[in-house]
Amino acid sequence: MSISGTDAYAKEVHLPPLVERALAAARAHGFAHSCRPEQGRLLYALAGGADRLIGETGTGCGVGLAWLAEGAGAGVRLVGVERDPERARVAAEVFAGRPEVEVLCGDWRRIEERGPYDLLVLDGGGTAKTEDDSPADPARLLAPIGRLVIDDFTPAADWPPLHEGDVDRARLHWLRHSALEMVEIPLAEDLATLVGTRRRIAGAETSWRGFEQGQVVRGVVSRIESFGVFVDLDGTEGFITAPELSRHHFDSFDEIVHVGQEITAEVLAFELFRPQVRLSLAALAPDPLAEFARNAGLGRVVRGPVTKVVPFGVFVRVVEGIEGLVHRDALGDSGLPDAGDEMSVEVTGINLRLRRVTLTPLP
């Protein structure tokens, strides 16, 4: 985050609408450390290259995340993590009505609950800029050829780079990282950003150590961590990220697998420098949303429980494993129901690409 970031917009005009909204929220709540406009424009451009998922730590009141959301293409989801509960609440309000954007409250490591990311912006932990801040692992958090952004460096003309007279060890860590092709981009006289692309560790290989992409394999769960599940493939390490565990929502990895369990999974890719095989359980499961759409899902009238209440509406379970959104505007003056309340709704929209079900409430 930039020390003078919010004030830096004083003379800016023609900002994207969502950025204007986040900036107004930052000013209203006295938050000074927003993403600077120079950085915001870079994030906007980089977001356009993401195919599926963008992450950000240190969301603040949402200015940087707004630049990312405005630049992202259709179907791309965004996740921001903010440790301060009040700022997280403010940021969530900024993105009300934008269900593709999720704001999590907590330590920066909550970013590991999602992923791997096509683009990850580290601005609130994981940068290694302080002694107590351990660096994030791009090999775990980034998709193949995914990009990592770390901002708020002072441009350096010398080598090794210095910060306040000492060697800038954080910058050296990232510029020399074995998993990244990293460059430093000067954005202003007092601002530089590091942008790295995850190396094509596996290159174009479709097979390795007797494994092939798309192959179905069996293994035993050997370890469960906050960022994913490790699998023993007869002596070779396999790894499953959270999104590849199940197509259904879950709150804990233990709901899906447990240590010692034998599982069947599909081979997705290879991490040669680890070495490791990336696996997916979800790839072998039927797609419940596609099944729902095929089986007269559109136009269906159901009665189901409210599973989640958010500022822009409520989510209602229409069948097991599928929830839809009733927008706040559709509820009229009746207000938002509570979680657990039953609602009668009609399915009025299904978007398989965005994984989105739209509902209309019935009397």
Side-chain angles (χ1 to χ4, degrees):
M1 69 178 76
S2 299
I3 294 175
S4 58
T6 304
D7 291 342
Y9 289 87
K11 297 182 180 180
E12 293 289 326
V13 295
H14 306 305
L15 292 171
L18 198 56
V19 176
E20 289 274 18
R21 182 172 177 175
L23 189 59
R27 287 168 174 159
H29 289 81
F31 182 67
H33 308 306
S34 298
C35 162
R36 280 175 51 169
E38 303 96 327
Q39 174 74 359
R41 293 188 182 94
L42 176 63
L43 297 183
Y44 180 95
L46 292 173
D51 294 326
R52 188 183 63 87
L53 184 62
I54 295 172
E56 182 200 45
T57 67
T59 293
C61 291
V63 175
L65 193 57
W67 278 108
L68 290 165
E70 291 281 21
V76 176
R77 295 184 297 114
L78 299 97
V79 179
V81 177
E82 170 53 48
R83 65 182 179 183
D84 181 82
E86 177 61 17
R87 289 198 292 268
R89 182 192 66 79
V90 170
E93 290 181 354
V94 167
F95 298 101
R98 297 290 294 264
E100 75 276 17
V101 182
E102 180 182 17
V103 177
L104 304 176
C105 180
D107 182 83
W108 74 268
R109 291 176 181 82
R110 290 204 65 187
I111 204 71
E112 296 174 346
E113 297 175 12
R114 308 294 187 266
Y117 297 90
D118 301 307
L119 174 63
L120 177 61
V121 181
L122 295 178
D123 196 19
T127 64
K129 288 184 178 180
T130 60
E131 291 292 336
D132 59 348
D133 181 25
S134 58
D137 184 356
R140 295 227 184 275
L141 293 174
L142 295 182
I145 69 170
R147 289 178 173 82
L148 181 73
V149 178
I150 307 173
D151 70 344
D152 283 348
F153 289 95
T154 303
D158 300 321
W159 188 265
L162 303 178
H163 177 65
E164 297 181 348
D166 295 323
V167 173
D168 192 339
R169 299 191 180 281
R171 185 160 15 187
L172 279 181
H173 169 82
W174 295 112
L175 290 173
R176 292 174 170 174
H177 203 292
S178 62
L180 297 167
E181 293 281 359
M182 183 71 79
V183 296
E184 181 175 322
I185 302 175
L187 297 178
E189 289 186 359
D190 62 340
L191 180 65
T193 292
L194 301 184
V195 178
T197 301
R198 183 179 165 194
R199 297 179 190 274
R200 294 178 180 268
I201 299 301
E205 286 90 344
T206 58
S207 62
W208 175 68
R209 284 192 179 179
F211 297 97
E212 295 182 356
Q213 286 182 347
Q215 178 184 359
V216 175
V217 297
R218 296 187 69 82
V220 177
V221 175
S222 58
R223 193 165 90 248
I224 299 176
E225 300 288 354
S226 62
F227 46 83
V229 174
F230 291 86
V231 179
D232 179 16
L233 299 170
D234 196 21
T236 298
E237 182 178 88
F239 182 73
I240 310 174
T241 61
E244 297 298 338
L245 273 176
S246 175
R247 294 186 185 274
H248 298 281
H249 172 77
F250 59 90
D251 295 316
S252 170
F253 291 168
D254 293 335
E255 297 175 24
I256 310 299
V257 295
H258 59 267
V259 174
Q261 178 181 347
E262 187 176 42
I263 63 167
T264 303
E266 179 181 327
V267 174
L268 297 182
F270 309 109
E271 301 279 4
L272 299 191
F273 84 100
R274 284 199 167 275
Q276 189 181 81
V277 179
R278 285 295 179 99
L279 303 172
S280 174
L281 289 180
L284 300 183
D287 184 347
L289 185 56
E291 291 292 328
F292 179 74
R294 276 194 295 268
N295 297 324
L298 196 62
R300 182 183 298 187
V301 174
V302 300
R303 185 169 181 82
V306 174
T307 59
K308 184 165 58 175
V309 180
V310 293
F312 49 85
V314 297
F315 287 88
V316 177
R317 182 182 300 125
V318 291
V319 296
E320 184 61 34
I322 297 177
E323 299 173 351
L325 173 67
V326 179
H327 199 277
R328 187 184 193 113
D329 294 343
L331 294 170
D333 298 328
S334 58
L336 297 178
D338 296 324
D341 289 352
E342 295 281 326
M343 285 188 66
S344 295
V345 295
E346 179 184 356
V347 180
T348 53
I350 301 175
N351 189 313
L352 293 176
R353 185 182 180 194
L354 299 180
R355 314 299 297 173
R356 182 182 300 164
V357 177
T358 306
L359 305 176
T360 298
L362 299 176

